[in-house]
Amino acid sequence: MEQEQKNRMDAIRQGAENMRKLNLLSDTFASVALQDAGACQYVVRKILGRDDIRIIDVKSQYRLLNLAAKDAILDAFAQDSTGRLVNIEIQRRDTKDHARRTRYYGSMIDKSVLDKGAEHNELPDVYIIYISETDLWHAGKTMYPVNKTLEQSAIPYDDGKYVIFVNAAVDDGSEVAKMMQYFKKADPDDMSQGELSERVHYLKTEKGGYKEMCEVAEKIYEQGIEQGIEQGIEQGIVQGKMENAKEMAISMHRDGMAEELIAKYANVSLDLVKSWIALSLA
C-alpha cells in the first residue's frame, strides 16, 4: 500500500514537472494557463482587437454533456462583463474538418445556455477562437476571421456566432503573430505578453504555480485510473475498450509527456504505450 502511494505521488510530481516544460500549444498547459481570468482576457483582447473586454469567469476543460450524442470538452470557456461567451480551442493535431468542429462547439454552447422556453433572441454572442499550430487554410495569414454576408450583396449575416482561426505557423509581423510566437515557446523569462507572460512565469517558476500543476497532474492521474478500471484495462477485457486509453496515451505523447508517465496515467504497460506511439507515428 505504501509503495502504491509512493508510486502515485512520484507520478503526480513527474507529471507536474513535465507540464511545466510544455508550451501554450499544448491544450493541457494552455487550459491551466488560461484558467486565469487576466491571462485569458489578454489573449481575447489581443485577438479581437478590443481593449474594452473584461473577462469575469473562466472554466478550463469544461465538459458540455450531450446524452444523445458526443460530448464537447472546451479548452477554455469564458464569459465577459456583458454576457458575451468566448471559447478558446487549442488544436495541435491535424484533425479532420475544422469548420464543422467549430460548428459543433457552437451548437453545444448554444444548447447549454438557452433555457427551456426562452426566446432565440436571448442567445448571447459567442466567439470561438480556434488556435492551431499549423496554417490550416494555407493562405499565409496569422489570423482568419470568418465573415458572413448574404450572397450577391455586402449585407452582413449576423447570427451572433463569430469564428476566428489563428495559427502559430505564419508570422506576418502583427501583434497577434507576436503572441503566437510566444505561444510556441512559453518562455517564463519572456515578459513581453503582459498578464499572459505573468501567468506562464508563475506556473513554471513559482512555488504556487508548481502546486497548481501538481493538482492538475493529480486529476489526470485519477482520471487515468478511473478509465482503467471502467474499461477493464488491467485485465485486458475486450480489445475495443482499450481505444480510450490509447487515444489518451497518444495525446499525452504529442504534448511531450514521458512514456513512463503515460503508462502510469493510462494504467497500462510501458511496452503497450510504446507500441501505440510507434503505430501513431507510422
Side-chain angles (χ1 to χ4, degrees):
M1 192 68 179
E2 290 183 6
Q3 185 60 44
E4 288 180 6
Q5 181 63 16
K6 181 179 182 300
N7 290 342
R8 176 178 178 276
M9 295 308 299
D10 287 345
I12 290 170
R13 282 192 289 267
Q14 187 61 51
E17 289 294 340
N18 284 349
M19 278 190 284
R20 277 183 147 184
K21 298 173 184 177
L22 301 175
N23 63 24
L24 287 163
L25 293 172
S26 157
D27 56 1
T28 304
F29 184 68
S31 295
V32 182
L34 297 179
Q35 191 169 351
D36 176 76
C40 183
Q41 177 175 278
Y42 180 90
V43 173
V44 173
R45 283 181 171 182
K46 188 74 71 173
I47 291 173
L48 298 187
R50 296 182 56 173
D51 292 334
D52 61 329
I53 291 175
R54 185 167 67 87
I55 298 297
I56 60 173
D57 182 56
V58 187
K59 298 179 178 68
S60 65
Q61 291 297 305
Y62 185 62
R63 182 182 291 272
L64 298 176
L65 298 176
N66 189 340
L67 298 179
K70 184 177 181 179
D71 292 350
I73 301 177
L74 311 183
D75 290 335
F77 187 47
Q79 183 178 27
D80 77 357
S81 57
T82 69
R84 182 189 293 114
L85 301 175
V86 182
N87 169 213
I88 301 177
E89 286 300 313
I90 309 294
Q91 193 58 247
R92 170 166 281 175
R93 292 174 295 172
D94 190 16
T95 55
K96 296 179 181 178
D97 209 331
H98 303 279
R100 281 179 170 77
R101 192 179 182 90
T102 59
R103 168 184 164 184
Y104 188 69
Y105 289 145
S107 67
M108 289 291 287
I109 292 170
D110 286 346
K111 182 180 177 182
S112 72
V113 299
L114 188 65
D115 295 329
K116 187 175 181 179
E119 297 294 331
H120 291 103
N121 61 4
E122 296 178 54
L123 281 169
D125 286 352
V126 175
Y127 286 78
I128 299 177
I129 298 174
Y130 198 90
I131 298 175
S132 62
E133 186 172 30
T134 59
D135 180 6
L136 302 177
W137 305 104
H138 309 291
K141 305 289 185 182
T142 298
M143 190 162 64
Y144 300 93
V146 177
N147 295 316
K148 291 174 278 190
T149 59
L150 297 178
E151 189 174 356
Q152 298 180 342
S153 78
I155 300 172
Y157 178 77
D158 189 358
D159 58 1
K161 184 176 75 175
Y162 310 98
V163 179
I164 304 171
F165 291 94
V166 187
N167 72 82
V170 179
D171 185 354
D172 61 10
S174 65
E175 288 300 311
V176 173
K178 290 177 183 177
M179 184 174 70
M180 286 298 99
Q181 296 311 301
Y182 175 81
F183 263 62
K184 290 166 68 173
K185 297 179 180 179
D187 181 354
D189 296 323
D190 180 353
M191 304 304 292
S192 65
Q193 297 300 316
E195 289 170 294
L196 179 62
S197 289
E198 292 173 10
R199 176 66 170 167
V200 169
H201 180 85
Y202 169 76
L203 291 173
K204 290 196 170 188
T205 66
E206 298 185 24
K207 186 176 180 180
Y210 177 74
K211 181 180 178 182
E212 201 167 325
M213 291 282 92
C214 284
E215 291 172 356
V216 174
E218 184 174 13
K219 288 180 182 177
I220 295 173
Y221 180 86
E222 296 300 339
Q223 287 169 1
I225 295 297
E226 289 173 8
Q227 284 183 352
I229 294 171
E230 291 173 2
Q231 300 296 333
I233 290 174
E234 288 182 307
Q235 291 141 2
I237 301 173
V238 186
Q239 186 63 28
K241 292 185 178 181
M242 296 290 280
E243 285 305 309
N244 284 346
K246 179 180 178 181
E247 289 177 9
M248 181 178 71
I250 294 171
S251 178
M252 286 179 171
H253 178 259
R254 285 171 174 154
D255 278 347
M257 290 193 178
E259 293 173 349
E260 292 79 7
L261 186 60
I262 295 171
K264 287 185 179 181
Y265 281 164
N267 203 24
V268 297
S269 71
L270 178 59
D271 287 342
L272 184 55
V273 168
K274 287 181 177 180
S275 69
W276 285 342
I277 291 170
L279 286 172
S280 73
L281 293 175

